[in-house]
Amino acid sequence: MSSLGSMCATRLLYLADSFLTVESPLDAIHCAELAVRSDRTVWEKSGAVVKAAAELKRLPSEPLSDELVRLRWHVQRLETVISTDNSIRESLPEPPSDSEHASDHEPSLDSLAEELRRVERRLPDCFGEAFDRARRTLRDLLDEFGSPEDHASLDESCNPSDNNGDDWIDECFSLEHSLHNLGNRLYKMERYDDAIVFYDVALEICPTILEGYFNRGLAYTRLGRYVKAEADLDQAIQLNEDIADLWYVRGLIQKYKRDYESAIADFERALQIDPDFLRAEEQRKAACQLRDGKERGPHRPGANEDYDGVVDDFTPYRVKPDCRLSQVGDHAAVKRELQKILTYLRGSEILAEWGAELPRGVLLYGQTGVGKTHLARALAGEARCPFYAPPISLILDMYVGNSEKNLRNLFRAAAQHEHAIVFLDEIEVIASQRKESRQSHEPWQARLAACLLEEMDNLPDRNGRVVVIGATNSLDAVDPCFLRPGRFTYVIEVKPPATAGLVEILLICLEVAARRAKRNDFLDAELEKAVLAPRQQWLEQALQHDATGLVQVARIAARKELVGDHLREIVRRIVDERVIAGIDGIDLGPVTTEDLQRHVEQYRPVRP
């Protein structure tokens, strides 16, 4: 067995323990299966995981928590490593041969019936309507393709205690893949509804099968059920956002729904991942033509600015952030405040019940680098709404009146969506103290501030739910009129992180850096284990007893008054150090806590 296989197995067992901690037994079983595939010597440890998972006998709660999504991403990454490494692939057992009753053109159903009985026997509490629907579909298929004896024992139930431990553990492996493969066969037969039934059960057994979401999304698309198809593609993208086909297919769905802007954004993301993806480029051009024909009629498309400097199209500055509030380290109090805004953006029913008004603005203030912009982007990602973040320099123009026109066009673009966020960084440039503007003979600032006040006052009259988020390093520079009730409803200070927050930020920075790296041993064993653990549980334990030494590193960073931007820069420097050494033919090995401590001690932040 290769050292890579052993490393993958070790990490998968770490992840299995993490899934047990957050009470997701089926994810733990999936990790145990992959661990055995990577390294057959961990069979006993994997079996222990399976038995512990079976004792939980329940599915994770829905909707999926951010913690589960994060852990499942790591499983998907290791699954990709296992599937692409020759030394691991060659050690995998041969797949079972088709049943002798199977024909060349119809799926083998008798083996699936046996596997469904095993599921019913092994984890009865984990299955309900989806399993019953799969069994009814199976009977219909057996009526169509099978023989009478195929029904004989479909309803028989067995006791797990009738099997010895090894047989019972063996039953836990690869069941979901059999169900998924049957769905694929039915899909090829153009029996899309039947295929969806078995994709449902496969994903209920193991919610980390990326191909299951992708293929089920394709089946829904074939049936014209675009909302469900888009939801499946979103889930697949959460598992692995670096697959061009996922963005391409989601772009097609958006195009079918006539949401051309979203389609173009998805096709462009597919092209970022694979610049040679010709079909994505063709579809992008087609979506652009459809959008221009719909919105601009016979006018010339493509120009972002006309001759006099007025910005007519803010599309290039609109994004759909894929980060979540859980991916922002520290700032628990700020995130609780932003959860209120999230409720309004999502349009909760309780708002209508009480006739609550949508907050018009949120003002985040604090020193440079504490995470104000990151929090705003994460809020948009949580709400899954467009995020308009044009630079202030784009709004300002030398010609009289153009700056105000640009600001109005920005709000007009945001109001076209059901809900959206307008983010204005360094808002004090627009919303500065107006009396100071008069003294310094800058009347344009006063006009621009008045325009912003007018747009915020008019937000309730617009169709969409638009929230303005401003960020500033200097609250004193903001005109008090913006802080009156009805404008920036929430004024929130974003404070520098303390020790516990710095530990969390370090973990997030390391995880993000490891995601970008193709090298599988990017982190040493202790840091890897910390990254793969459930975040909050690990933090609580580490503050009591830390085997990694990250808490000590965070204490040093706290004494030096470092913030999130500084820690990201430190991780970047550690990676850069290894790149330079690699160019010289020297392998410095995985990133360690000693590397972090050395760079934190050496770091000299530039204070404004």
Side-chain angles (χ1 to χ4, degrees), residues 359-383:
R360 302 175 195 178
V362 180
L363 184 60
L364 304 175
Y365 70 96
Q367 71 180 64
T368 302
V370 292
K372 301 184 292 295
T373 302
H374 193 29
L375 283 163
R377 292 177 64 90
L379 176 63
E382 199 82 45

PDB file of all heavy atoms in Angstrom, residues 359-383:
ATOM      1  N   PRO A 359     -34.626  46.877   7.226  1.00  0.00           N
ATOM      2  CA  PRO A 359     -33.572  47.865   7.521  1.00  0.00           C
ATOM      3  C   PRO A 359     -32.943  48.370   6.230  1.00  0.00           C
ATOM      4  O   PRO A 359     -32.670  47.588   5.320  1.00  0.00           O
ATOM      5  CB  PRO A 359     -32.568  47.054   8.346  1.00  0.00           C
ATOM      6  CG  PRO A 359     -33.323  45.881   8.852  1.00  0.00           C
ATOM      7  CD  PRO A 359     -34.354  45.572   7.821  1.00  0.00           C
ATOM      8  N   ARG A 360     -32.711  49.660   6.157  1.00  0.00           N
ATOM      9  CA  ARG A 360     -32.169  50.212   4.914  1.00  0.00           C
ATOM     10  C   ARG A 360     -30.650  50.129   4.853  1.00  0.00           C
ATOM     11  O   ARG A 360     -30.084  50.039   3.762  1.00  0.00           O
ATOM     12  CB  ARG A 360     -32.614  51.666   4.773  1.00  0.00           C
ATOM     13  CG  ARG A 360     -34.121  51.823   4.779  1.00  0.00           C
ATOM     14  CD  ARG A 360     -34.542  53.279   4.758  1.00  0.00           C
ATOM     15  NE  ARG A 360     -35.955  53.404   5.125  1.00  0.00           N
ATOM     16  CZ  ARG A 360     -36.586  54.564   5.221  1.00  0.00           C
ATOM     17  NH1 ARG A 360     -35.935  55.692   4.997  1.00  0.00           N
ATOM     18  NH2 ARG A 360     -37.854  54.599   5.566  1.00  0.00           N
ATOM     19  N   GLY A 361     -30.017  50.209   6.019  1.00  0.00           N
ATOM     20  CA  GLY A 361     -28.558  50.248   5.971  1.00  0.00           C
ATOM     21  C   GLY A 361     -27.904  49.651   7.199  1.00  0.00           C
ATOM     22  O   GLY A 361     -28.476  49.620   8.289  1.00  0.00           O
ATOM     23  N   VAL A 362     -26.684  49.168   6.982  1.00  0.00           N
ATOM     24  CA  VAL A 362     -25.826  48.664   8.047  1.00  0.00           C
ATOM     25  C   VAL A 362     -24.475  49.343   7.876  1.00  0.00           C
ATOM     26  O   VAL A 362     -23.910  49.333   6.774  1.00  0.00           O
ATOM     27  CB  VAL A 362     -25.654  47.129   7.963  1.00  0.00           C
ATOM     28  CG1 VAL A 362     -24.747  46.633   9.090  1.00  0.00           C
ATOM     29  CG2 VAL A 362     -26.994  46.426   8.001  1.00  0.00           C
ATOM     30  N   LEU A 363     -23.965  49.919   8.933  1.00  0.00           N
ATOM     31  CA  LEU A 363     -22.658  50.573   8.876  1.00  0.00           C
ATOM     32  C   LEU A 363     -21.691  49.793   9.762  1.00  0.00           C
ATOM     33  O   LEU A 363     -21.886  49.682  10.974  1.00  0.00           O
ATOM     34  CB  LEU A 363     -22.758  52.027   9.353  1.00  0.00           C
ATOM     35  CG  LEU A 363     -21.474  52.845   9.262  1.00  0.00           C
ATOM     36  CD1 LEU A 363     -20.985  52.928   7.818  1.00  0.00           C
ATOM     37  CD2 LEU A 363     -21.684  54.255   9.825  1.00  0.00           C
ATOM     38  N   LEU A 364     -20.665  49.223   9.134  1.00  0.00           N
ATOM     39  CA  LEU A 364     -19.622  48.497   9.847  1.00  0.00           C
ATOM     40  C   LEU A 364     -18.418  49.413   9.995  1.00  0.00           C
ATOM     41  O   LEU A 364     -17.944  49.974   8.997  1.00  0.00           O
ATOM     42  CB  LEU A 364     -19.235  47.230   9.080  1.00  0.00           C
ATOM     43  CG  LEU A 364     -20.364  46.241   8.764  1.00  0.00           C
ATOM     44  CD1 LEU A 364     -19.827  45.093   7.899  1.00  0.00           C
ATOM     45  CD2 LEU A 364     -20.991  45.698  10.030  1.00  0.00           C
ATOM     46  N   TYR A 365     -17.929  49.551  11.213  1.00  0.00           N
ATOM     47  CA  TYR A 365     -16.754  50.386  11.398  1.00  0.00           C
ATOM     48  C   TYR A 365     -15.738  49.660  12.275  1.00  0.00           C
ATOM     49  O   TYR A 365     -16.077  48.845  13.129  1.00  0.00           O
ATOM     50  CB  TYR A 365     -17.125  51.745  11.996  1.00  0.00           C
ATOM     51  CG  TYR A 365     -17.575  51.727  13.437  1.00  0.00           C
ATOM     52  CD1 TYR A 365     -16.672  51.986  14.475  1.00  0.00           C
ATOM     53  CD2 TYR A 365     -18.900  51.466  13.776  1.00  0.00           C
ATOM     54  CE1 TYR A 365     -17.080  51.986  15.798  1.00  0.00           C
ATOM     55  CE2 TYR A 365     -19.319  51.460  15.092  1.00  0.00           C
ATOM     56  CZ  TYR A 365     -18.404  51.715  16.117  1.00  0.00           C
ATOM     57  OH  TYR A 365     -18.805  51.695  17.413  1.00  0.00           O
ATOM     58  N   GLY A 366     -14.491  49.952  12.029  1.00  0.00           N
ATOM     59  CA  GLY A 366     -13.401  49.320  12.763  1.00  0.00           C
ATOM     60  C   GLY A 366     -12.108  49.506  12.002  1.00  0.00           C
ATOM     61  O   GLY A 366     -12.090  49.985  10.864  1.00  0.00           O
ATOM     62  N   GLN A 367     -11.008  49.120  12.633  1.00  0.00           N
ATOM     63  CA  GLN A 367      -9.700  49.366  12.022  1.00  0.00           C
ATOM     64  C   GLN A 367      -9.507  48.515  10.769  1.00  0.00           C
ATOM     65  O   GLN A 367     -10.227  47.536  10.530  1.00  0.00           O
ATOM     66  CB  GLN A 367      -8.581  49.066  13.024  1.00  0.00           C
ATOM     67  CG  GLN A 367      -8.390  47.587  13.336  1.00  0.00           C
ATOM     68  CD  GLN A 367      -7.270  47.352  14.330  1.00  0.00           C
ATOM     69  OE1 GLN A 367      -7.346  47.765  15.468  1.00  0.00           O
ATOM     70  NE2 GLN A 367      -6.221  46.686  13.890  1.00  0.00           N
ATOM     71  N   THR A 368      -8.542  48.879   9.983  1.00  0.00           N
ATOM     72  CA  THR A 368      -8.253  48.175   8.733  1.00  0.00           C
ATOM     73  C   THR A 368      -7.911  46.713   8.994  1.00  0.00           C
ATOM     74  O   THR A 368      -7.152  46.393   9.902  1.00  0.00           O
ATOM     75  CB  THR A 368      -7.080  48.858   8.017  1.00  0.00           C
ATOM     76  OG1 THR A 368      -7.401  50.224   7.783  1.00  0.00           O
ATOM     77  CG2 THR A 368      -6.796  48.185   6.694  1.00  0.00           C
ATOM     78  N   GLY A 369      -8.501  45.843   8.161  1.00  0.00           N
ATOM     79  CA  GLY A 369      -8.121  44.433   8.185  1.00  0.00           C
ATOM     80  C   GLY A 369      -8.868  43.555   9.156  1.00  0.00           C
ATOM     81  O   GLY A 369      -8.567  42.361   9.263  1.00  0.00           O
ATOM     82  N   VAL A 370      -9.866  44.104   9.875  1.00  0.00           N
ATOM     83  CA  VAL A 370     -10.559  43.274  10.864  1.00  0.00           C
ATOM     84  C   VAL A 370     -11.636  42.395  10.231  1.00  0.00           C
ATOM     85  O   VAL A 370     -12.174  41.509  10.890  1.00  0.00           O
ATOM     86  CB  VAL A 370     -11.196  44.136  11.975  1.00  0.00           C
ATOM     87  CG1 VAL A 370     -10.116  44.776  12.827  1.00  0.00           C
ATOM     88  CG2 VAL A 370     -12.127  45.187  11.389  1.00  0.00           C
ATOM     89  N   GLY A 371     -11.983  42.635   8.957  1.00  0.00           N
ATOM     90  CA  GLY A 371     -12.917  41.738   8.278  1.00  0.00           C
ATOM     91  C   GLY A 371     -14.250  42.353   7.915  1.00  0.00           C
ATOM     92  O   GLY A 371     -15.223  41.622   7.710  1.00  0.00           O
ATOM     93  N   LYS A 372     -14.342  43.667   7.777  1.00  0.00           N
ATOM     94  CA  LYS A 372     -15.626  44.310   7.460  1.00  0.00           C
ATOM     95  C   LYS A 372     -16.140  43.875   6.084  1.00  0.00           C
ATOM     96  O   LYS A 372     -17.308  43.502   5.941  1.00  0.00           O
ATOM     97  CB  LYS A 372     -15.470  45.835   7.524  1.00  0.00           C
ATOM     98  CG  LYS A 372     -15.014  46.352   8.892  1.00  0.00           C
ATOM     99  CD  LYS A 372     -14.969  47.859   8.929  1.00  0.00           C
ATOM    100  CE  LYS A 372     -13.873  48.448   8.049  1.00  0.00           C
ATOM    101  NZ  LYS A 372     -12.519  48.092   8.514  1.00  0.00           N
ATOM    102  N   THR A 373     -15.279  43.929   5.082  1.00  0.00           N
ATOM    103  CA  THR A 373     -15.686  43.518   3.735  1.00  0.00           C
ATOM    104  C   THR A 373     -16.023  42.040   3.697  1.00  0.00           C
ATOM    105  O   THR A 373     -17.014  41.620   3.062  1.00  0.00           O
ATOM    106  CB  THR A 373     -14.564  43.834   2.735  1.00  0.00           C
ATOM    107  OG1 THR A 373     -14.270  45.230   2.769  1.00  0.00           O
ATOM    108  CG2 THR A 373     -14.973  43.440   1.322  1.00  0.00           C
ATOM    109  N   HIS A 374     -15.231  41.229   4.370  1.00  0.00           N
ATOM    110  CA  HIS A 374     -15.473  39.789   4.396  1.00  0.00           C
ATOM    111  C   HIS A 374     -16.825  39.466   5.023  1.00  0.00           C
ATOM    112  O   HIS A 374     -17.567  38.595   4.546  1.00  0.00           O
ATOM    113  CB  HIS A 374     -14.345  39.103   5.168  1.00  0.00           C
ATOM    114  CG  HIS A 374     -14.306  37.621   5.007  1.00  0.00           C
ATOM    115  ND1 HIS A 374     -14.761  36.968   3.870  1.00  0.00           N
ATOM    116  CD2 HIS A 374     -13.882  36.641   5.850  1.00  0.00           C
ATOM    117  CE1 HIS A 374     -14.605  35.664   4.020  1.00  0.00           C
ATOM    118  NE2 HIS A 374     -14.089  35.435   5.220  1.00  0.00           N
ATOM    119  N   LEU A 375     -17.182  40.184   6.083  1.00  0.00           N
ATOM    120  CA  LEU A 375     -18.482  39.982   6.716  1.00  0.00           C
ATOM    121  C   LEU A 375     -19.623  40.353   5.771  1.00  0.00           C
ATOM    122  O   LEU A 375     -20.641  39.641   5.701  1.00  0.00           O
ATOM    123  CB  LEU A 375     -18.563  40.819   7.991  1.00  0.00           C
ATOM    124  CG  LEU A 375     -17.813  40.271   9.214  1.00  0.00           C
ATOM    125  CD1 LEU A 375     -17.624  41.368  10.256  1.00  0.00           C
ATOM    126  CD2 LEU A 375     -18.571  39.082   9.815  1.00  0.00           C
ATOM    127  N   ALA A 376     -19.470  41.456   5.048  1.00  0.00           N
ATOM    128  CA  ALA A 376     -20.515  41.867   4.112  1.00  0.00           C
ATOM    129  C   ALA A 376     -20.687  40.837   2.991  1.00  0.00           C
ATOM    130  O   ALA A 376     -21.818  40.479   2.626  1.00  0.00           O
ATOM    131  CB  ALA A 376     -20.177  43.240   3.524  1.00  0.00           C
ATOM    132  N   ARG A 377     -19.582  40.349   2.453  1.00  0.00           N
ATOM    133  CA  ARG A 377     -19.652  39.333   1.392  1.00  0.00           C
ATOM    134  C   ARG A 377     -20.264  38.039   1.933  1.00  0.00           C
ATOM    135  O   ARG A 377     -21.056  37.383   1.250  1.00  0.00           O
ATOM    136  CB  ARG A 377     -18.265  39.056   0.828  1.00  0.00           C
ATOM    137  CG  ARG A 377     -17.663  40.215   0.055  1.00  0.00           C
ATOM    138  CD  ARG A 377     -16.249  39.893  -0.405  1.00  0.00           C
ATOM    139  NE  ARG A 377     -16.258  38.781  -1.339  1.00  0.00           N
ATOM    140  CZ  ARG A 377     -16.380  38.909  -2.659  1.00  0.00           C
ATOM    141  NH1 ARG A 377     -16.524  40.110  -3.188  1.00  0.00           N
ATOM    142  NH2 ARG A 377     -16.377  37.862  -3.446  1.00  0.00           N
ATOM    143  N   ALA A 378     -19.904  37.675   3.158  1.00  0.00           N
ATOM    144  CA  ALA A 378     -20.445  36.443   3.740  1.00  0.00           C
ATOM    145  C   ALA A 378     -21.947  36.563   3.966  1.00  0.00           C
ATOM    146  O   ALA A 378     -22.686  35.588   3.800  1.00  0.00           O
ATOM    147  CB  ALA A 378     -19.724  36.127   5.049  1.00  0.00           C
ATOM    148  N   LEU A 379     -22.420  37.748   4.345  1.00  0.00           N
ATOM    149  CA  LEU A 379     -23.859  37.953   4.510  1.00  0.00           C
ATOM    150  C   LEU A 379     -24.579  37.749   3.181  1.00  0.00           C
ATOM    151  O   LEU A 379     -25.636  37.104   3.118  1.00  0.00           O
ATOM    152  CB  LEU A 379     -24.129  39.350   5.059  1.00  0.00           C
ATOM    153  CG  LEU A 379     -25.610  39.737   5.200  1.00  0.00           C
ATOM    154  CD1 LEU A 379     -26.320  38.817   6.195  1.00  0.00           C
ATOM    155  CD2 LEU A 379     -25.750  41.193   5.630  1.00  0.00           C
ATOM    156  N   ALA A 380     -24.017  38.290   2.103  1.00  0.00           N
ATOM    157  CA  ALA A 380     -24.614  38.091   0.779  1.00  0.00           C
ATOM    158  C   ALA A 380     -24.590  36.616   0.387  1.00  0.00           C
ATOM    159  O   ALA A 380     -25.550  36.099  -0.203  1.00  0.00           O
ATOM    160  CB  ALA A 380     -23.872  38.931  -0.261  1.00  0.00           C
ATOM    161  N   GLY A 381     -23.488  35.927   0.717  1.00  0.00           N
ATOM    162  CA  GLY A 381     -23.422  34.499   0.414  1.00  0.00           C
ATOM    163  C   GLY A 381     -24.434  33.707   1.212  1.00  0.00           C
ATOM    164  O   GLY A 381     -25.036  32.753   0.700  1.00  0.00           O
ATOM    165  N   GLU A 382     -24.651  34.090   2.457  1.00  0.00           N
ATOM    166  CA  GLU A 382     -25.641  33.415   3.299  1.00  0.00           C
ATOM    167  C   GLU A 382     -27.045  33.635   2.758  1.00  0.00           C
ATOM    168  O   GLU A 382     -27.882  32.725   2.760  1.00  0.00           O
ATOM    169  CB  GLU A 382     -25.534  33.939   4.727  1.00  0.00           C
ATOM    170  CG  GLU A 382     -26.150  33.062   5.765  1.00  0.00           C
ATOM    171  CD  GLU A 382     -25.234  31.921   6.181  1.00  0.00           C
ATOM    172  OE1 GLU A 382     -24.038  32.147   6.401  1.00  0.00           O
ATOM    173  OE2 GLU A 382     -25.751  30.794   6.285  1.00  0.00           O
ATOM    174  N   ALA A 383     -27.311  34.868   2.303  1.00  0.00           N
ATOM    175  CA  ALA A 383     -28.638  35.197   1.769  1.00  0.00           C
ATOM    176  C   ALA A 383     -28.799  34.763   0.324  1.00  0.00           C
ATOM    177  O   ALA A 383     -29.914  34.807  -0.207  1.00  0.00           O
ATOM    178  CB  ALA A 383     -28.876  36.702   1.882  1.00  0.00           C
TER     179      ALA A 383
END
